[in-house]
């Protein structure tokens, strides 16, 4: 597909729920689509916690994007991190390693999603990874199973307790799922695996600054979820704000003051920040951004005075809609429909109407909560509904079959098929961030020395050019 194509050119940024469904919805349209993402896969984020806790493999929830759209001849998939969007020139600039590409568009769909927010305390990230990407899930898998390996080596009881204490920050669906799964790991899966301690003595703490668990499900389901977690051994601490995190533990502030929890493994499942591309678009279009960096879109999902630019999914702010996959999928279909109408010379600008199909969250094996309109389900029946919905929405047929097999292993049996983890998975993020920081500092020093005034700041593509270089080359020690 050449860039001087006479057909209408649609650029889609992001191959997540929004980007992929928009691309698919343009299947029969008389347009050429360029789908750009910094990863080569589509990610089913709702099941990341199962990769982190050894139930599913990363391939099952993250199939290759080009494989998904292989039969859709009007699509080209490009690997690249979008760095610049020019609304005036109608171009998108993206880079991968040392290759920078400028892709022009007639219509643009921006679906770059959201990342983790540490509420201004980004230094917490080193010790409390979030869970947004496959890298995050694999790092957490390494940290969780690695903590038990360290515990087997420990003879000091206080140090042992710290290895066997897991703190999950954020009692939304992701935090609840993680806490429930770690409790299940410790009580069922790891039974009999260790000789010097009993994994069932694991302490799982679920913290939240708010006063309830799964608050979006209403009081009844929220209370049910909290009791269910507690019955499975999870310690729920509410109205508790995290004020510091380090390698050895976490400091919490509540009505009784500050206290410290010694815990080697911390997981951050609180707070989201929309892609920084949102601010770029807002600055150029005059649209507003909210506190999470989401772009206030027009009712038809376009921005400012740009009927050719759509912002959808977790990046958009409209009528208080939540950052969930149905919002991204339905928004994607709406944007695609608008583009199709435009290319056919039909009227456009119809407002987006969201159909709420309800929400659900699992607590642990055979237990979930679901809220569909006035219907509130909990326990096994809600879990069955969860199972059915996730099977339907898993992207590839092969993934559905293998996921079902892995669920049988984990839920009917007590095993976990995907416990493999490597030292590189655990350490690479910290190493890369440090080496990027060093590069930035070196470039800033060189810039100051040479008296250059602009253009000297390093970019991600200035980082080491090999994929998977040896992280152990960095001299600084890793956090313990
Ligand atoms: C752990 C977790 C659990 C969740 N559970 C549920 C659930 O149970 N139910 C539910 O409905 N929703 C759930 N969600 C929310 C749901 O996944 C999101 O609402 C949905 O993915 C949003 O779709 P999106 O297309 O806006 O963004 P995403 O799906 O996040 O896709 C964004 C894409 O953009 C790419 N990207 C980002 N920046 C750039 C860039 N600069 N250049 C190129 N590419 C870029 C990313 O690589 C990614 O592929 C969960 C989310 C998480 C993190």
């Amino acid at each position: 597909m050449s860039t001087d194509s006479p057909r209408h050119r649609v650029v889609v940024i992001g191959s997540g729920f929004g980007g992929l469904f928009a691309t698919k919805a343009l299947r029969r349209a008389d347009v050429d689509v360029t789908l750009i993402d910094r990863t080569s896969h589509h990610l089913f984020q709702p099941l990341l916690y199962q990769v982190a806790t050894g139930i599913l493999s990363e391939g099952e929830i993250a199939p290759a994007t080009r494989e998904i759209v292989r039969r859709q001849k009007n699509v080209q998939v490009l690997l690249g991190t979008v760095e610049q969007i020019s609304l005036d020139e109608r171009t998108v600039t993206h880079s991968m390693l040392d290759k920078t590409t400028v892709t022009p568009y007639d219509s643009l769909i921006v679906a770059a999603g959201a990342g983790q927010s540490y509420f201004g305390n980004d230094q917490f990230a080193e010790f409390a990874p979030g869970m947004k990407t496959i890298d995050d899930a694999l790092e957490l898998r390494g940290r969780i199973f690695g903590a038990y390996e360290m515990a087997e080596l420990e003879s000091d009881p206080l140090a042992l307790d710290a290895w066997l204490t897991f703190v999950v920050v954020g009692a939304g669906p992701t935090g609840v799922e993680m806490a429930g799964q770690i409790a299940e790991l410790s009580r069922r899966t790891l039974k009999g695996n260790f000789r010097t301690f009993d994994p069932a003595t694991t302490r799982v703490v679920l913290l939240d600054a708010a006063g309830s668990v799964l608050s979006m499900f209403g009081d009844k389901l929220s209370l049910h979820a909290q009791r269910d977690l507690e019955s499975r051994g999870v310690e729920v601490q509410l109205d508790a704000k995290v004020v510091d995190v380090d390698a050895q533990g976490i400091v919490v502030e509540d009505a009784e003051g500050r206290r410290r929890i010694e815990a080697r493994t911390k997981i951050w499942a609180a707070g989201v920040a929309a892609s920084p591309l949102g601010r770029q678009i807002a600055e150029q279009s005059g649209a507003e951004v909210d506190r999470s960096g989401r772009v206030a879109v027009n009712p038809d999902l376009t921005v400012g005075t740009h009927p050719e630019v759509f912002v959808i999914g977790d990046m958009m702010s409209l009528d208080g809609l939540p950052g969930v996959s149905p919002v991204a999928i339905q928004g994607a279909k709406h944007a695609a429909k608008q583009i199709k109408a435009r290319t056919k010379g039909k009227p456009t600008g119809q407002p987006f109407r969201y159909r709420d199909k309800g929400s659900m969250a699992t607590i642990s094996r055979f237990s979930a909560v679901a809220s569909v309109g006035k219907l509130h389900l909990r326990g096994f029946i809600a879990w069955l509904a969860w199972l059915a919905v996730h099977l339907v929405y898993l992207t590839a047929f092969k993934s559905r079959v293998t996921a079902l097999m892995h669920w049988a292993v984990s839920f009917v049996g007590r095993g976990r098929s995907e416990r493999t983890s490597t030292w590189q998975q655990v350490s690479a993020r910290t190493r890369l961030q440090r080496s990027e920081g060093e590069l930035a500092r070196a470039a800033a020093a060189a810039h100051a020395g040479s008296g250059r005034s602009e253009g000297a700041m390093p970019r991600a593509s200035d980082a080491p050019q090999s994929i998977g270089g040896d992280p152990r080359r960095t001299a600084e020690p890793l956090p313990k």
Side-chain angles (χ1 to χ4, degrees):
M1 200 169 61
S2 80
T3 50
D4 53 6
S5 160
R7 297 218 293 178
H8 189 91
R9 297 161 302 181
V10 182
V11 169
V12 178
I13 303 176
S15 62
F17 281 107
L20 184 67
F21 278 80
T23 301
K24 285 176 153 187
L26 290 167
R27 192 171 53 247
R28 286 190 235 289
D30 189 22
V31 298
D32 286 328
V33 182
T34 306
L35 174 57
I36 307 167
D37 198 290
R38 62 186 175 196
T39 71
S40 57
H41 52 256
H42 163 70
L43 176 57
F44 194 90
Q45 286 178 341
L47 290 174
L48 270 174
Y49 79 96
Q50 295 203 355
V51 173
T53 53
I55 298 173
L56 295 180
S57 76
E58 59 274 28
E60 278 157 329
I61 67 160
T65 310
R66 58 181 71 257
E67 177 66 17
I68 301 171
V69 296
R70 71 189 183 285
R71 292 210 180 91
Q72 191 176 332
K73 298 294 179 211
N74 67 346
V75 182
Q76 183 180 27
V77 177
L78 296 179
L79 180 66
T81 299
V82 173
E83 285 155 356
Q84 194 69 45
I85 298 170
S86 171
L87 298 190
D88 285 342
E89 289 166 21
R90 297 193 177 183
T91 56
V92 169
T93 305
H94 45 105
S95 299
M96 190 42 62
L97 297 179
D98 58 355
K99 179 82 184 160
T100 298
T101 309
V102 178
T103 304
Y105 65 80
D106 299 308
S107 292
L108 176 66
I109 299 178
V110 188
Q116 207 73 60
S117 166
Y118 288 83
F119 308 113
N121 294 298
D122 288 352
Q123 71 280 9
F124 293 175
E126 180 165 344
F127 310 109
M131 198 164 54
K132 287 282 177 192
T133 64
I134 288 290
D135 280 334
D136 294 340
L138 291 177
E139 178 179 344
L140 281 171
R141 185 196 285 176
R143 285 183 183 238
I144 293 165
F145 287 102
Y148 285 100
E149 296 303 328
M150 292 306 296
E152 183 80 330
L153 297 169
E154 200 50 76
S155 51
D156 172 3
L158 288 180
L160 176 66
D161 285 350
W163 282 117
L164 292 180
T165 300
F166 296 79
V167 177
V168 181
V169 182
T174 301
V176 165
E177 284 161 351
M178 277 307 291
Q181 277 307 320
I182 298 172
E184 191 171 315
L185 262 182
S186 64
R187 271 69 174 172
R188 287 182 82 240
T189 310
L190 298 179
K191 202 172 180 180
N193 276 215
F194 297 94
R195 301 290 171 260
T196 60
F197 68 94
D198 178 2
T201 57
T202 297
R203 184 179 176 209
V204 185
V205 181
L206 178 64
L207 288 174
D208 204 297
S212 61
V213 164
L214 296 179
S215 49
M216 63 294 279
F217 285 83
D219 290 350
K220 264 193 178 165
L221 290 183
S222 163
L223 201 62
H224 166 79
Q226 183 176 341
R227 294 222 174 104
D228 195 339
L229 283 166
E230 285 166 347
S231 73
R232 291 166 198 271
V234 176
E235 225 176 276
V236 179
Q237 299 188 12
L238 300 170
D239 297 310
K241 189 177 156 200
V242 174
V243 290
D244 200 11
V245 184
D246 58 40
Q248 316 290 332
I250 196 158
V251 181
V252 177
E253 192 171 70
D254 59 17
E256 274 143 46
R258 286 193 175 194
R259 63 201 156 77
R260 187 176 163 84
I261 305 171
E262 299 298 334
R264 291 299 192 111
T265 313
K266 285 83 56 182
I267 297 158
W268 195 267
V272 290
S275 159
L277 292 176
R279 287 192 191 277
Q280 265 191 41
I281 293 168
E283 276 162 22
Q284 295 176 51
S285 66
E288 304 270 312
V289 287
D290 68 10
R291 276 175 53 211
S292 309
R294 300 186 308 161
V295 183
V297 293
N298 300 322
D300 64 351
L301 308 187
T302 61
V303 285
T305 51
H306 289 268
E308 76 286 6
V309 180
F310 298 84
V311 175
I312 60 171
D314 283 4
M315 281 187 73
M316 78 170 196
S317 162
L318 179 72
D319 301 335
L321 290 175
V324 291
S325 49
V327 172
I329 293 170
Q330 292 179 35
K333 291 177 179 169
H334 181 84
K337 205 169 164 189
Q338 292 286 306
I339 292 172
K340 283 193 268 188
R342 190 172 160 210
T343 57
K344 288 181 182 160
K346 291 185 177 169
T348 56
Q350 294 84 354
F352 170 57
R353 302 244 182 267
Y354 177 60
R355 280 192 313 278
D356 187 356
K357 294 180 184 166
S359 36
M360 46 183 60
T362 44
I363 299 165
S364 200
R365 190 173 77 110
F366 302 149
S367 178
V369 289
S371 168
V372 185
K374 287 191 180 138
L375 189 66
H376 297 290
L377 302 174
R378 58 189 210 196
F380 187 60
I381 186 95
W383 186 82
L384 281 181
W386 169 90
L387 192 75
V389 166
H390 284 73
L391 267 182
V392 168
Y393 277 95
L394 262 181
T395 305
F397 176 74
K398 201 175 119 233
S399 302
R400 286 186 204 130
V401 176
T402 56
L404 202 57
M405 276 156 47
H406 280 149
W407 285 340
V409 168
S410 301
F411 300 141
V412 183
R414 55 166 201 87
R416 302 266 154 145
S417 313
E418 302 292 335
R419 279 170 61 172
T420 312
S421 62
T422 67
W423 172 238
Q424 194 164 308
Q425 278 169 12
V426 177
S427 65
R429 176 180 62 99
T430 314
R431 300 283 191 190
L432 276 171
Q433 278 168 0
R434 283 182 184 171
S435 67
E436 276 167 15
E438 278 162 23
L439 270 170
R441 281 191 293 279
H447 162 79
S450 69
R452 278 189 290 163
S453 59
E454 53 185 48
M457 289 311 287
R459 298 167 305 149
S461 52
D462 294 325
Q465 297 294 300
S466 65
I467 294 173
D470 181 3
R472 269 163 280 198
R473 276 190 310 199
T474 315
E476 255 181 287
L478 254 192
K480 294 197 195 91

